[in-house]
Amino acid sequence: MGHKVGIIGLGYVGLPLAFTFLQRGYSVIGVDLDESKIRALSNGQSYLPDISDETLFSYVVQKQLIVTADYASLSEVEAVIICVPTPLTPLHTPDLSYLVQVGSALSKHLKQDQLIVLESSTYPGTTREVLQPLLEKSGLKIGIDYYLAYSPERIDPGRSDYTLETIPKIISGITNRCADKVFGLYSTVFAEVVLVSSPEAAEMAKLLENSYRFVNISFINEFAMLCDKMKIDVWEVIDAAKTKPYGFKAFYPGPGIGGHCIPVDPLYLQWSANLLGSNSKFIDYAHSINISMPNYIVGRIKASMGVSALVGMTILVIGVSYKRNINDTRESSALSLMKIVIQEGAHLSYSDPLVPEVTVNGETLMSLELNEQNLSEADCVVIVTDHSELPIQLILDHSKLVYDTRNITHGLSGKARIIRLGTGI
Ligand SMILES: NC(=O)c1ccc[n+]([C@@H]2O[C@H](COP(=O)([O-])OP(=O)(O)OC[C@H]3O[C@@H](n4cnc5c(N)ncnc54)[C@H](O)[C@@H]3O)[C@@H](O)[C@H]2O)c1
């Protein structure tokens, strides 16, 4: 078989993971059902800013990377890593339909000695209670004929100080043999692997990490609202507090937490707890703060303009991805904020160098160029995402009013009146 791995789901997690294996000399068979992704990758076109077309193209040309929708091609790999979405249903419960689809399809092609690793974030028990029974339809026996492991993905897209190889990797197996197998593979690729005693512990560790961020960012957003009331600069307060060398970790306010992970994973935990008649009040409260942020920001904008409604106003939103330097708009608070602005009767436009178009309330908008005219025509420019490339001085020199949710304008000035979230101004 040689050094060949399969990766199912070539999205924000699966594609960078494929690259990590490719860089280590592995051949990779990537399986995805999205034809447009297969087409783009086969032509050497990357859809992630962190991955260059050039490198991708060289792997494709050398046939070190093969992308396909055909699960049968996985029969020649030693390990298959699953990176499919684990979103929420409209009722805010876990939607494991992608994973179930993968498990069923994979069971038809599972081969003797193969290692299967689940990387999608999910509630404790998913690997053992949902995936294992599906794979056993193959007739193969776990720990003897095939191996099953769970290793949560910790990638932070857009980040360059930590790469996939240097972020310690939590691993776990259903049996000891399964744990040995995943250790054997992952220690050839990742600088540090951290073995825990069960997939449940590994699944729960991921939920702890993301719930911790969810609760703490929501707390600092509530704190920012208090600072607004008290007319104290929350950013200065955080900078002062973080000089304490122990016992304090800085989190920063913003327009609300987005993305496929941090607002979603805690609700997987909540669902799991509810099954046992339990509940996390912290998660409930953090969720309510988080979804209230876009409304709060629109309220502050109206107050600063001295109006009770935005009807007839022109609002220009800058940045619609859920965080800086990436093109992912899933669960982005910018979209909720834009919806409110439209409902208020304002004329809405947006600009995001990484997101050429978005659909809000069924209406597709195209990203505007940031120039003197577009900026000066807006009654208020709202900075929602602080991409590194933003022409911040141009924005401050030509806008009437800038509402900054990220503190990117700190210490800067221009013609515009500048209001920063959490400063009371
Ligand atoms: N995005 C992140 O920053 C991040 C970080 C850590 C963990 N995670 C977790 O990783 C998992 C994947 O997230 P993502 O952001 O990469 O999602 P994504 O939507 O970007 O990518 C998932 C890919 O899976 C493909 N897919 C869906 N069903 C399939 C099937 N049956 N067979 C083959 N391919 C299929 C989709 O077409 C898509 O390309 C989720 O559980 C997520 O919570 C994401």
Side-chain angles (χ1 to χ4, degrees):
M1 279 197 201
H3 292 305
K4 203 176 246 193
V5 297
I7 296 189
I8 302 182
L10 299 169
Y12 290 97
V13 163
L15 188 55
L17 191 65
F19 260 69
T20 306
F21 276 90
L22 288 163
Q23 279 157 358
R24 287 279 161 166
Y26 283 82
S27 293
V28 174
I29 296 190
V31 175
D32 204 293
L33 301 186
D34 182 340
E35 286 297 335
S36 65
K37 281 191 173 138
I38 295 179
R39 214 174 312 119
L41 294 175
S42 304
N43 290 329
Q45 286 161 358
S46 164
Y47 35 77
L48 299 184
D50 294 347
I51 285 173
S52 81
D53 289 356
E54 237 178 10
T55 335
L56 173 66
F57 192 64
S58 70
Y59 287 129
V60 172
V61 167
Q62 291 162 34
K63 297 212 174 358
Q64 198 185 334
L65 171 66
I66 292 171
V67 285
T68 172
D70 182 10
Y71 275 72
S73 60
L74 293 172
S75 60
E76 46 181 295
V77 302
E78 59 187 275
V80 178
I81 306 170
I82 305 171
C83 309
V84 291
T86 44
L88 294 169
T89 66
L91 296 176
H92 281 195
T93 59
D95 174 2
L96 293 189
S97 59
Y98 299 94
L99 180 61
V100 169
Q101 214 186 341
V102 168
S104 308
L106 202 50
S107 71
K108 300 189 182 88
H109 301 282
L110 197 62
K111 287 280 169 306
Q112 187 78 27
D113 285 336
Q114 268 182 338
L115 165 69
I116 310 300
V117 190
L118 177 61
E119 294 236 356
S120 303
S121 313
T122 186
Y123 61 81
T126 306
T127 310
R128 195 187 302 273
E129 291 156 22
V130 179
L131 189 54
Q132 187 184 336
L134 292 168
L135 296 178
E136 271 171 11
K137 289 189 181 156
S138 64
L140 298 179
K141 285 271 156 293
I142 190 147
I144 299 166
D145 300 320
Y146 85 100
Y147 307 94
L148 179 57
Y150 180 76
S151 177
E153 181 55 64
R154 288 167 148 175
I155 191 173
D156 186 8
R159 184 168 205 132
S160 54
D161 51 352
Y162 290 98
T163 63
L164 268 190
E165 295 97 318
T166 60
I167 302 167
K169 196 87 174 94
I170 295 177
I171 56 164
S172 62
I174 297 275
T175 68
N176 289 342
R177 261 319 263 145
C178 298
D180 288 348
K181 283 277 180 186
V182 67
F183 184 87
L185 177 67
Y186 276 28
S187 51
T188 65
V189 169
F190 300 102
E192 187 183 345
V193 288
V194 181
L195 177 64
V196 297
S197 67
S198 66
E200 288 74 15
E203 290 160 336
M204 197 65 164
K206 176 71 188 175
L207 296 188
L208 171 61
E209 290 168 18
N210 281 2
S211 301
Y212 169 83
R213 286 190 67 74
F214 190 57
V215 167
N216 279 289
I217 298 169
S218 297
F219 171 63
I220 205 71
N221 274 339
E222 184 185 57
F223 204 86
M225 294 189 245
L226 292 179
C227 282
D228 262 339
K229 273 261 178 315
M230 296 177 177
K231 299 196 185 316
I232 300 168
D233 183 333
V234 70
W235 309 92
E236 183 188 1
V237 171
I238 296 168
D239 280 348
K242 80 176 187 195
T243 59
K244 184 178 177 182
Y246 53 87
F248 182 82
K249 160 111 183 69
F251 288 88
Y252 295 95
I257 309 156
H260 179 39
C261 293
I262 296 173
V264 172
D265 298 353
L267 302 185
Y268 268 60
L269 177 59
Q270 194 68 296
W271 177 86
S272 218
N274 289 347
L275 286 186
L276 301 170
S278 211
N279 179 50
S280 162
K281 292 196 179 76
F282 275 107
I283 291 176
D284 271 350
Y285 190 59
H287 180 64
S288 70
I289 295 275
N290 193 42
I291 58 175
S292 74
M293 286 311 292
N295 239 323
Y296 176 76
I297 288 167
V298 171
R300 295 291 300 172
I301 291 170
K302 286 194 285 195
S304 59
M305 293 169 95
V307 297
S308 57
L310 292 179
V311 62
M313 302 282 176
T314 297
I315 307 293
L316 170 58
V317 168
I318 297 186
V320 292
S321 60
Y322 75 87
K323 66 172 183 170
R324 61 172 16 203
N325 301 344
I326 62 165
N327 60 3
D328 189 352
T329 59
R330 289 178 296 179
E331 316 282 331
S332 174
S333 60
L335 302 179
S336 312
L337 189 137
M338 288 160 95
K339 245 186 219 167
I340 300 168
V341 168
I342 292 175
Q343 278 157 8
E344 291 252 343
H347 173 71
L348 171 73
S349 56
Y350 89 97
S351 178
D352 189 318
L354 299 179
V355 185
E357 60 174 66
V358 287
T359 303
V360 186
N361 275 358
E363 194 188 329
T364 300
L365 304 171
M366 309 299 283
S367 173
L368 281 190
E369 188 195 334
L370 283 183
N371 57 29
E372 205 177 314
Q373 190 186 348
N374 290 333
L375 288 164
S376 59
E377 276 173 12
D379 294 296
C380 180
V381 170
V382 192
I383 300 175
V384 178
T385 315
D386 51 344
H387 293 307
S388 308
E389 302 297 307
L390 285 189
I392 192 69
Q393 199 54 52
L394 181 86
I395 296 169
L396 297 184
D397 285 343
H398 298 288
S399 310
K400 296 182 191 100
L401 170 66
V402 172
Y403 189 91
D404 173 10
T405 67
R406 302 281 187 175
N407 202 32
I408 187 178
T409 61
H410 174 67
L412 301 176
S413 60
K415 192 201 83 188
R417 209 174 121 219
I418 305 169
I419 299 175
R420 288 177 295 131
L421 169 66
T423 58
I425 303 158

